[in-house]
Amino acid sequence: MAKSDDCIQILRGLLVFGNVVIGMCGIALTAECIYFVSNPHDLHPLLKDTENNNISAAAWIGIFVGLALFFLSILGIIGVIKASRTLLIVYIILMLITFAFEMASCITAATHRDSVTKNVLLKQMLERYEKSEAANDSENEVTKTWDELMLQKQCCGVKGPSDWQDYTSAFRLTHNDADYPWPRKCCVLDAQGLPVNLDGCKLGVPGYYNSNGCYDAISGPVNTQAWGVAWFGFAILCWTVST
């Protein structure tokens, strides 16, 4: 009988430990998803304008799931310690619901991580960047975001400066090719934010303009965050099932 009681106590201890880990993982998942939706790379205006909000939606679901896991872990610990059948049944039902939400978050993040393609971003940039008559604030946000991105990452366009030469754009309709072969933010700028050599930038002289595109600067953080939400959430699901 004593041996049976010892086994029960060990089992309870393992269940409590498992729920402690679940609670900690829930906090970590919430923190990760908050980091994503708080827009650390200032790319959400671009993603929103391309109508690709699926990764953001997955992150919001992740925040809900993380908080749910934290509170459910507390409920599970209380249920195990008190050996309350009612609490444990409620715990299992709510955990199954949370499990379903996290599955949706993982699938959404994983399947839409590659949806931000070069062609999608290129179309957006050509149509919205410095549009002469912005219909709404989102178009102004697109221009501002592209300016900040090209300035911070020292890049130009999606594929490169040739984007502004090879395609018709809203920018080209208001800027002649001789004076503005590409936006000024494509030039190498000094500390005052002025081109180091404006003529060299216009002529495309190496060292005076940024010849690389911005696609990697956009897709890299988006893919990293999407995989973070998907795989970390999946790892939590695996631990939850095993517990």
Side-chain angles (χ1 to χ4, degrees):
M1 187 70 177
K3 186 175 181 180
S4 177
D5 290 339
D6 290 340
C7 291
I8 292 175
Q9 292 300 322
I10 292 173
L11 179 59
R12 284 182 177 177
L14 291 174
L15 290 174
V16 169
F17 173 75
N19 277 283
V20 169
V21 175
I22 289 174
M24 294 174 64
C25 289
I27 294 174
L29 178 62
T30 300
E32 180 190 35
C33 292
I34 289 176
Y35 175 77
F36 175 71
V37 299
S38 64
N39 195 12
H41 297 283
D42 294 328
L43 298 177
H44 282 305
L46 301 185
L47 299 179
K48 180 180 178 181
D49 194 67
T50 58
E51 298 181 354
N52 181 26
N53 294 321
N54 295 301
I55 298 177
S56 295
W60 280 109
I61 296 174
I63 292 174
F64 162 75
V65 170
L67 292 174
L69 289 173
F70 174 72
F71 289 112
L72 283 177
S73 67
I74 296 175
L75 178 64
I77 292 172
I78 295 174
V80 170
I81 293 176
K82 291 188 174 182
S84 172
R85 183 176 181 181
T86 302
L87 286 178
L88 291 176
I89 291 175
V90 172
Y91 168 80
I92 292 173
I93 293 173
L94 293 178
M95 189 61 79
L96 289 174
I97 296 173
T98 304
F99 185 91
F101 273 100
E102 182 56 21
M103 281 289 292
S105 176
C106 293
I107 293 172
T108 301
T111 55
H112 289 87
R113 71 181 187 88
D114 293 324
S115 58
V116 184
T117 64
K118 286 185 179 180
N119 289 335
V120 170
L121 289 172
L122 182 62
K123 181 176 183 293
Q124 175 211 68
M125 182 188 72
L126 296 175
E127 292 180 353
R128 302 296 183 88
Y129 183 82
E130 289 200 8
K131 191 173 182 179
S132 57
E133 295 181 0
N136 49 54
D137 291 338
S138 67
E139 292 179 345
N140 293 325
E141 288 182 4
V142 169
T143 298
K144 181 181 178 181
T145 303
W146 270 107
D147 283 341
E148 292 177 352
L149 180 67
M150 291 190 290
L151 181 62
Q152 294 173 5
K153 302 299 181 180
Q154 297 181 345
C155 56
C156 182
V158 177
K159 302 176 183 178
S162 60
D163 291 344
W164 309 102
Q165 300 289 316
D166 297 339
Y167 305 98
T168 302
S169 64
F171 174 80
R172 182 59 58 224
L173 295 177
T174 55
H175 299 78
N176 65 73
D177 184 67
D179 290 332
Y180 290 86
W182 33 73
R184 290 287 189 261
K185 293 297 187 294
C186 292
C187 299
V188 175
L189 306 178
D190 58 21
Q192 285 73 41
L194 300 174
V196 173
N197 187 314
L198 182 56
D199 291 333
C201 177
K202 291 179 181 179
L203 295 173
V205 177
Y208 296 119
Y209 80 118
N210 300 313
S211 59
N212 56 305
C214 299
Y215 179 71
D216 289 340
I218 298 173
S219 63
V222 171
N223 285 339
T224 299
Q225 291 161 350
W227 275 122
V229 172
W231 283 110
F232 186 56
F234 181 74
I236 294 175
L237 290 180
C238 292
W239 176 265
T240 304
V241 172
S242 65
T243 304

